[in-house]
Amino acid sequence: MAVLQLPEYIYTGMDSINRIFDNNFKKLLIISNKEIEMTTITLPAFLQKAQKHSVKADVLVEKNPYELFSAVQEKLIDETPELIVAVGDGKTIDCAMAVSSMSGIPYCAVPESAPTSLWESDYVEALLNRKIPLMCVLDPDMIIGANSVGLAYEGLGMLALCAESFLKSGCRYIKSAAKTAFKQIYDNLFDAYKGEIAARENLLEGMYWAHIAFINSHDFSWESPCYRLCDFFKSFGIDSLSLLAVSCVQVIKSIYAENEPALHELACEVNASQQQELSSICLTEKIRQIRAKMFVPSCVKNLGADESRFLILLQDIGEEDRRLFFDCYYSEYSAFLNQNQVLTGG
């Protein structure tokens, strides 16, 4: 029997934030980050609507998720809201997800970009970041205020998660959601990067469904190659979605290496090639081209990760992951055959 986590409500379109108040909540805790506070009108608008509906709404705004997580924990000692509303980036939403998992308080996601950053800390384990929000609000004001380059950059990272979910999920419903989300992200990435509002809205929606597919694809986080890649490079201080963005081609090629029919199915979904036998190759090449047109680096080394430390840490990694991590660090394995002793553990 398959058990799927899905949001109870997804609100889109003009004034979608107002729909939160249809649920008769009387006490809300709104959490956000400094950038949202400075670049959008969403928080003041939310507070005005709360006042209009006679809803008590407290706001916590912090610069980073570590400070925000601590602030929310302290706040919950004194008061228990009926709903936590996370307004902002993936780290903010991951923070709300973790708090909700620990406290049982439902949360609402109002994303401005990717709805997750795969954020973890010493206090936030990956298993806590596996709870779907009660509701999601894809608000036009958030989309208009979002940074186009950052939105597309994170979309490229979510494309890797989406491709993995399509392959790894054993549930046909999640496979279908992942395939649809893959197409929606793929088709809108570059136009969103150029700033087109409709493309940004479509990309945001596609990323949200990619996240749903990813959460429903694995019983344990470490079953995910993308998660293991992010976990390995976490100590280098590299943002997870940035890591997946620069590594998206390598990740997709690696996880589909022995699953050509599945990759062909994805390629057909996005019309990657008119020639069936070339569709899989064309898909990875087209993703590589999109990455280049967006000026995204093609390997982790170009993000400044220390090479000597990387090679030392790589020695303790299993063979399958070692090859993937190596390709992601250097971009092309074939160009570094002289490092074969690292890959083989010799």
Side-chain angles (χ1 to χ4, degrees):
M1 180 182 69
V3 178
L4 308 182
Q5 290 193 69
L6 297 172
E8 191 168 337
Y9 303 102
I10 299 177
Y11 299 127
T12 64
M14 296 300 296
D15 203 30
S16 52
I17 280 184
N18 197 52
R19 297 299 305 278
I20 294 174
F21 298 98
D22 292 348
N23 296 274
N24 297 317
F25 294 113
K26 294 302 179 184
K27 185 185 295 186
L28 306 178
L29 175 61
I30 306 168
I31 66 173
S32 190
N33 54 60
K34 290 289 186 182
E35 186 174 347
I36 289 297
E37 186 178 45
M38 294 186 293
T39 60
T40 76
I41 62 169
T42 303
L43 291 181
F46 201 108
L47 291 175
Q48 288 178 1
K49 294 178 189 300
Q51 187 175 22
K52 177 182 177 181
H53 290 272
S54 301
V55 174
K56 184 179 186 299
D58 295 324
V59 180
L60 287 177
V61 178
E62 297 291 348
K63 185 176 182 180
N64 64 60
Y66 305 98
E67 295 173 355
L68 184 60
F69 185 76
S70 297
V72 174
Q73 293 282 79
E74 291 179 14
K75 181 72 174 177
L76 294 184
I77 294 174
D78 299 321
E79 287 191 80
T80 303
E82 297 172 89
L83 181 73
I84 298 171
V85 182
V87 182
D89 60 9
K91 289 185 174 67
T92 302
I93 295 171
D94 284 346
C95 178
M97 193 187 313
V99 171
S100 179
S101 296
M102 296 171 69
S103 66
I105 301 168
Y107 79 102
C108 169
V110 188
E112 59 139 357
S113 53
T116 183
S117 67
L118 301 180
W119 173 67
E120 289 185 65
S121 75
D122 293 338
Y123 306 103
V124 180
E125 297 180 359
L127 289 175
L128 296 178
N129 287 338
R130 291 179 50 78
K131 184 177 181 181
I132 291 291
L134 175 69
M135 59 187 77
C136 176
V137 178
L138 303 178
D139 185 77
D141 286 335
M142 295 288 285
I143 295 166
I144 291 171
N147 179 282
S148 296
V149 174
L151 184 65
Y153 200 99
E154 293 191 353
L156 197 57
M158 293 298 292
L159 193 70
L161 285 185
C162 202
E164 181 192 289
S165 300
F166 175 70
L167 177 66
K168 299 292 185 180
S169 176
C171 172
R172 66 181 185 273
Y173 302 110
I174 295 304
K175 279 186 176 292
S176 179
K179 183 164 68 171
T180 301
F182 186 91
K183 176 174 173 57
Q184 194 160 349
I185 294 172
Y186 177 91
D187 287 347
N188 290 280
L189 262 176
F190 193 63
D191 288 339
Y193 172 79
K194 293 188 295 183
E196 294 185 14
I197 297 297
R200 287 156 65 178
E201 187 171 3
N202 291 334
L203 180 59
L204 189 68
E205 183 179 323
M207 288 196 291
Y208 186 73
W209 283 104
H211 182 220
I212 289 176
F214 182 69
I215 284 183
N216 282 283
S217 293
H218 306 284
D219 291 329
F220 301 100
S221 299
W222 49 87
E223 294 174 345
S224 160
C226 285
Y227 171 79
R228 295 197 303 272
L229 177 70
C230 294
D231 187 59
F232 176 81
F233 282 103
K234 181 171 61 176
S235 64
F236 290 84
I238 299 174
D239 174 79
S240 292
L241 287 186
S242 295
L243 174 68
L244 293 178
V246 303
S247 306
C248 58
V249 176
Q250 297 94 305
V251 168
I252 292 173
K253 288 177 68 175
S254 173
I255 63 178
Y256 281 91
E258 298 178 2
N259 298 277
E260 188 71 20
L263 186 58
H264 168 67
E265 188 176 346
L266 268 190
C268 290
E269 183 72 13
V270 298
N271 300 313
S273 174
Q274 298 296 320
Q275 297 178 271
Q276 180 173 329
E277 64 275 11
L278 297 177
S279 61
S280 299
I281 297 173
C282 288
L283 176 60
T284 53
E285 183 56 35
K286 287 188 174 183
I287 295 172
R288 181 183 283 108
Q289 291 172 4
I290 292 172
R291 183 176 64 182
K293 288 194 295 184
M294 289 168 49
F295 299 100
V296 176
S298 62
C299 63
V300 179
K301 185 178 182 180
N302 290 341
L303 294 178
D306 181 76
E307 183 174 22
S308 59
R309 182 162 176 264
F310 165 72
L311 293 173
I312 291 171
L313 293 176
L314 200 65
Q315 300 289 346
D316 298 326
I317 301 300
E319 178 66 19
E320 182 180 353
D321 281 348
R322 189 183 298 143
R323 289 188 175 274
L324 171 59
F325 299 172
F326 196 91
D327 286 355
C328 291
Y329 187 86
Y330 287 115
S331 182
E332 297 296 339
Y333 164 62
S334 59
F336 290 89
L337 289 178
N338 61 330
Q339 297 282 354
N340 187 58
Q341 70 277 13
V342 176
L343 289 173
T344 59

